[in-house]
């Protein structure tokens, strides 16, 4: 399922009898950014990815056991069965360990399933072992180390070393993707209070309150955005209220949530939130944690406080959608290799059958070290699929990354063909909790300038070009089109990069717009606060929770869901169609917002790269339950 040119083993780059290249330095490690050399005695931890010769047979197995039309559908493997048949061999690991030890490098651990070897060596030892050197560079406003050129290994281990990660400092750090409404966007000029309209307030339902803005679209009065939505309102929007009433509550299903670190008040926060929004708190034993320590990389990962809100959102969204499902929070040691360790622990222990992951790596990376990291993670998602574990990943909040100066593309990990990428929508509700409009999530602002004689929009013709946020998606540059997307994704998307059809993201969607977001609660500096939040960090646990409802009455786990999702799309998923012309005002009158403004991504009839196949509807749970019977 991987392009051979992306993450082929070192043997693919062999020269007769010589050393074998693992690829070059990261693209940012240029002579112009070089600051100096890394002291030879500085000790640096890194990770050697062990290649896997079983790749073709793994792909065949996954297709066989996850295709609803296969006679072997649902015949999943246990972790022990998978490792015995498909994991890299102990002999391969021993050859890697011997090579490292021969260079004076200390082997610190071997991952369960033999996926990688952790090691630590001095800069001098690492340079000698991989025939390179390490230098410091100016990158992302910091001084970071990286190799100065190609890494290589001797022919004796060329067939088993797939790559090395950790030698380009900070490149693998993940970021959570929560988004909140912005009272006044950057770039709005200050103005005398007398020149601004009186402050309004957010609305509990569409049209409850309005604000006055400069004329646009033939009007000067615009509805203010929604304050937030409760889990009960979201359950009504996705048609799960009746299912929950008849007992499909996620009982017997465990949903794991992976984030960095751990919020010490998580359970009390979740219970306070549930009570505040009219839901029931967790029952005794329903919520549990597996915390992996000690915590590290605080500066690189924005610290524990930077992840507590993400954790609270994820836990509370899953509980809101699946009130009786067990929730297992897995707290990684950091936002880098720690998240890989946490994910590998889940698959090697089969700790859950549904896993929600609201973080991303950014746009698909192509540097050599990044390719090794992708192979490492792809191996985890492969094992999960073989075991009947579904991994759900947020697609990010920067659209198709054009806003970051990139070519249109999705973010990794959501673009991996063995995970479910969850995009985002804007869910606009009326006075009686009915759906007023559903659009793809892409929000543009028109900022208002009050410094002149007459208030005016400062971005030119409306809608403007101030991109606030939108669901990630697009056409992969790394992965060919998987079988389950054949004939389901338009050629205009799958072939957006050329003649070869490629993986397209997202697969499905749910509410992600912070201006229609969900209420959640978290304790910060000792004070509990209830507010609204969005991002695909919301849509992912919402969808994972709904999957717990669907799984409850199946004879076996949904597992890797994409083949089933593309099968039931016409019945259980509602297509998100174009819905132009919906605008909202900020409460302070500082900007006019436009829902689903349309940039390089647009909602269309049928599959699109903003909302995928669509959102769950009332028939979704029954459709997936039927899909689970051979």
């Amino acid at each position: 399922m991987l392009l051979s040119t992306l993450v082929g083993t070192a043997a693919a780059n062999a020269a007769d009898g010589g050393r074998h290249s693992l690829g070059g330095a990261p693209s940012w490690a240029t002579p112009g950014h070089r600051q100096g050399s890394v002291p030879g005695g500085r000790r640096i931890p890194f990770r050697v990815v062990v290649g896997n010769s079983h790749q073709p047979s793994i792909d065949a197995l996954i297709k066989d056991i996850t295709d609803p039309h296969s006679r072997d559908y649902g015949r999943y493997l246990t972790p022990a069965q998978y490792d015995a048949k498909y994991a890299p061999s102990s002999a391969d690991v021993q050859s890697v360990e011997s090579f490292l030890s021969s260079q004076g490098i200390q082997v610190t651990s071997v991952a369960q399933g033999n996926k990688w070897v952790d090691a630590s060596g001095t800069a001098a030892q690492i340079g000698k072992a991989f025939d390179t050197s390490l230098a410091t560079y100016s990158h992302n406003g910091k001084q970071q180390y990286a190799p100065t050129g190609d890494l290589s290994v001797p022919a004796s281990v060329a067939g088993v070393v797939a790559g090395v990660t950790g030698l380009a400092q900070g490149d693998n750090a993940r970021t959570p993707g929560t988004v909140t409404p912005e009272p006044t966007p950057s770039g709005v000029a200050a103005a005398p209070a007398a020149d601004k309209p009186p402050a309004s307030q957010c609305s509990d339902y569409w049209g409850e309150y309005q604000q006055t803005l400069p004329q646009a679209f033939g009007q000067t009065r615009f509805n203010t955005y929604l304050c937030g939505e409760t889990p009960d309102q979201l359950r009504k929007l996705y048609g799960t209220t009746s299912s929950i009433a008849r007992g499909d509550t996620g009982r017997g299903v465990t949903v794991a949530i992976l984030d960095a670190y751990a919020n010490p008040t998580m359970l009390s926060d979740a219970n306070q939130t549930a009570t505040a929004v009219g839901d029931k708190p967790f029952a005794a034993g329903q919520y549990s944690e597996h915390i992996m320590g000690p915590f590290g990389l605080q500066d690189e990962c924005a610290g524990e406080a930077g992840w507590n809100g993400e954790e609270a959102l994820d836990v509370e969204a899953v509980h809101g959608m699946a009130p009786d499902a067990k929730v297992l929070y897995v707290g990684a040691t950091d936002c880098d290799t720690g998240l890989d360790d946490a994910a590998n622990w889940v698959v090697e222990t089969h700790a859950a059958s549904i896993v929600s992951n609201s973080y991303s790596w950014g746009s698909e990376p192509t540097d050599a070290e990044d390719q090794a990291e992708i192979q490492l993670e792809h191996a985890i998602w492969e094992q999960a699929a073989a075991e009947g574990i579904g991994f759900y990943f947020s697609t990010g909040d920067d659209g198709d990354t054009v806003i970051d100066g990139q070519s249109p593309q999705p973010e990794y990990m959501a673009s991996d063909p063995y995970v479910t990428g969850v995009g985002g929508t804007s869910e606009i509700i009326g006075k009686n909790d009915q759906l007023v409009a559903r659009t793809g999530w892409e929000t543009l602002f028109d900022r208002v300038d009050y410094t002149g004689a007459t208030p005016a929009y400062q971005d030119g013709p409306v809608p403007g070009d101030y991109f606030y946020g939108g669901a990630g998606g697009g056409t992969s540059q790394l992965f060919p089109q998987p079988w389950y997307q054949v004939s389901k994704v338009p050629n205009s998307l799958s072939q957006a990069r050329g003649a070869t059809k490629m993986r397209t993201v997202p697969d499905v969607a749910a509410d992600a717009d912070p201006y229609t977001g969900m209420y959640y609660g978290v304790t910060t500096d000792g004070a509990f606060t209830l507010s609204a939040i969005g991002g695909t960090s919301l849509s992912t646990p919402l969808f994972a929770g709904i999957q717990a409802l669907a799984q409850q009455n199946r004879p076996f786990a949904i597992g890797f869901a994409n083949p089933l999702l593309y099968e039931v799309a016409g019945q259980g998923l509602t297509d998100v169609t174009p819905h132009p012309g919906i605008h909202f005002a900020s409460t302070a009158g500082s900007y006019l917002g436009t829902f689903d403004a349309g940039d390089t991504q647009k909602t269309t009839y049928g599959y699109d790269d903003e909302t995928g196949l669509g959102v769950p509807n009332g028939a979704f749970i029954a459709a997936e339950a039927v899909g689970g019977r051979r």
Side-chain angles (χ1 to χ4, degrees):
M1 192 58 69
L2 287 167
L3 287 177
S4 60
T5 54
L6 168 65
V7 287
T9 63
N13 299 319
D16 291 341
R19 294 181 68 90
H20 296 238
S21 174
L22 299 176
S27 58
W28 49 265
T30 62
H33 291 109
R34 183 165 175 170
Q35 302 292 300
S37 298
V38 176
R42 179 175 177 179
R43 183 160 289 277
I44 296 173
F46 63 96
R47 184 163 278 183
V48 177
V49 182
V50 183
N52 198 327
S53 61
H54 301 294
Q55 188 70 55
S57 57
I58 294 173
D59 289 337
L61 168 74
I62 293 173
K63 182 177 181 181
D64 189 38
I65 63 177
T66 63
D67 184 349
H69 297 289
S70 169
R71 61 183 297 176
D72 292 324
Y73 180 45
R75 300 186 188 279
Y76 305 129
L77 304 183
T78 66
Q81 289 172 330
Y82 184 89
D83 285 343
K85 188 170 183 178
Y86 295 108
S89 69
S90 297
D92 285 347
V93 170
Q94 289 171 4
S95 68
V96 173
E97 292 178 305
S98 296
F99 163 65
L100 294 173
S101 297
S102 71
Q103 303 299 309
I105 294 172
Q106 179 185 3
V107 173
T108 55
S109 65
V110 176
Q112 287 182 278
N114 291 343
K115 297 179 184 71
W116 63 81
V117 175
D118 282 323
S120 174
T122 66
Q125 291 169 337
I126 292 169
K128 181 175 179 292
F130 297 108
D131 195 26
T132 188
S133 60
L134 298 179
T136 57
Y137 297 86
S138 175
H139 179 54
N140 287 336
K142 302 177 182 178
Q143 191 174 93
Q144 299 179 192
Y145 58 76
T148 59
D150 282 6
L151 279 69
S152 65
V153 292
S156 60
V157 291
V160 294
V161 175
V164 179
T165 72
L167 297 185
Q169 188 179 15
D171 259 15
N172 295 331
R174 279 65 158 176
T175 56
T178 56
V179 184
T180 56
E182 185 171 351
T184 304
S186 60
V188 173
D195 292 340
K196 289 186 177 181
S200 183
Q201 61 190 87
C202 61
S203 298
D204 286 330
Y205 57 88
W206 188 244
E208 183 180 14
Y209 298 105
Q210 290 79 38
Q211 177 59 278
T212 300
L213 293 174
Q215 185 175 19
F217 308 105
Q219 62 190 92
T220 57
R221 295 285 288 174
F222 295 89
N223 293 338
T224 59
Y225 59 81
L226 300 181
C227 302
E229 298 174 6
T230 66
D232 178 64
Q233 290 171 319
L234 289 166
R235 293 192 294 263
K236 290 175 181 176
L237 291 178
Y238 297 128
T240 64
T241 302
S242 58
S243 297
I244 289 175
R246 66 172 178 261
D248 295 335
T249 58
R251 189 178 303 277
V253 180
T254 298
V255 180
I257 293 166
L258 269 60
D259 283 315
Y261 312 127
N263 179 357
T265 60
M266 184 63 258
L267 181 57
S268 63
D269 286 351
N271 287 340
Q272 285 188 76
T273 300
T275 300
V277 299
D279 281 353
K280 63 180 182 180
F282 279 109
Q286 188 183 354
Y287 174 79
S288 61
E289 296 181 342
H290 178 80
I291 309 303
M292 306 175 75
F295 297 155
L297 299 182
Q298 298 278 3
D299 291 341
E300 295 87 342
C301 299
E304 296 171 44
W307 283 79
N308 286 350
E310 176 67 68
E311 178 185 343
L313 168 62
D314 296 346
V315 170
E316 293 167 16
V318 169
H319 183 55
M321 294 299 100
D324 288 331
K326 289 186 176 181
V327 175
L328 168 64
Y329 175 72
V330 183
T333 58
D334 56 58
C335 68
D336 194 332
T337 58
L339 285 169
D340 292 338
D341 295 336
N344 197 46
W345 176 83
V346 170
V347 301
E348 289 291 347
T349 62
H350 204 103
S353 54
I354 296 172
V355 187
S356 177
N357 308 266
S358 289
Y359 54 87
S360 70
W361 200 4
S363 57
E364 289 185 328
T366 56
D367 286 337
E369 175 162 318
D370 298 332
Q371 295 170 10
E373 176 66 19
I374 290 175
Q375 176 148 325
L376 180 156
E377 294 192 348
H378 186 72
I380 298 174
W381 320 142
E382 285 176 328
Q383 181 168 352
E387 290 182 18
I389 302 174
F391 270 77
Y392 299 81
F393 273 97
S394 57
T395 60
D397 305 328
D398 292 327
D400 55 9
T401 75
V402 172
I403 190 67
D404 296 327
Q406 307 286 329
S407 62
Q409 60 188 287
E411 295 189 1
Y412 191 79
M413 288 66 65
S415 66
D416 195 286
Y418 288 146
V419 308
T420 299
V422 186
T425 61
S426 303
E427 305 280 348
I428 305 171
I429 60 169
K431 188 173 183 178
N432 297 313
D433 295 344
Q434 81 277 16
L435 180 66
V436 172
R438 171 179 288 135
T439 75
W441 174 43
E442 183 176 62
T443 303
L444 289 185
F445 288 165
D446 286 283
R447 298 171 287 188
V448 181
D449 183 1
Y450 289 97
T451 59
T454 303
Y457 295 108
Q458 67 182 49
D459 294 325
V462 291
D465 58 0
Y466 185 94
F467 176 89
Y468 183 63
T475 305
S476 174
Q477 62 184 326
L478 304 180
F479 302 101
Q481 184 178 72
W483 81 93
Y484 53 80
Q485 287 193 325
V486 173
S487 78
K488 305 293 177 66
V489 174
N491 291 344
S492 59
L493 291 176
S494 65
Q495 294 178 299
R497 293 183 171 276
T500 301
K501 294 183 178 181
M502 305 295 285
R503 161 84 160 127
T504 310
V505 178
D507 298 300
V508 290
D511 189 24
D513 192 334
Y515 293 96
T516 67
M518 188 189 78
Y519 284 112
Y520 88 120
V522 63
T523 297
T524 304
D525 296 328
F528 175 80
T529 303
L530 193 70
S531 59
I533 200 165
T536 52
S537 281
L538 169 61
S539 61
T540 302
L542 288 178
F543 195 89
I546 294 172
Q547 286 291 73
L549 307 183
Q551 184 168 302
Q552 177 178 325
N553 292 321
R554 288 169 54 98
F556 55 87
I558 293 172
F560 171 50
N562 288 9
L564 179 60
L565 291 172
Y566 283 81
E567 183 74 17
V568 305
Q571 177 184 359
L573 293 165
T574 297
D575 184 23
V576 181
T577 57
H579 209 309
I582 305 177
H583 313 282
F584 64 91
S586 76
T587 56
S590 57
Y591 58 88
L592 172 68
T594 299
F595 290 115
D596 199 20
D599 190 13
T600 53
Q601 293 168 273
K602 294 179 175 65
T603 49
T604 62
Y605 291 93
Y607 178 95
D608 59 65
D609 61 358
E610 206 169 30
T611 63
L613 297 166
V615 300
N617 60 34
F620 180 73
I621 295 171
E624 288 216 309
V626 170
R629 298 187 175 91
R630 296 189 186 91

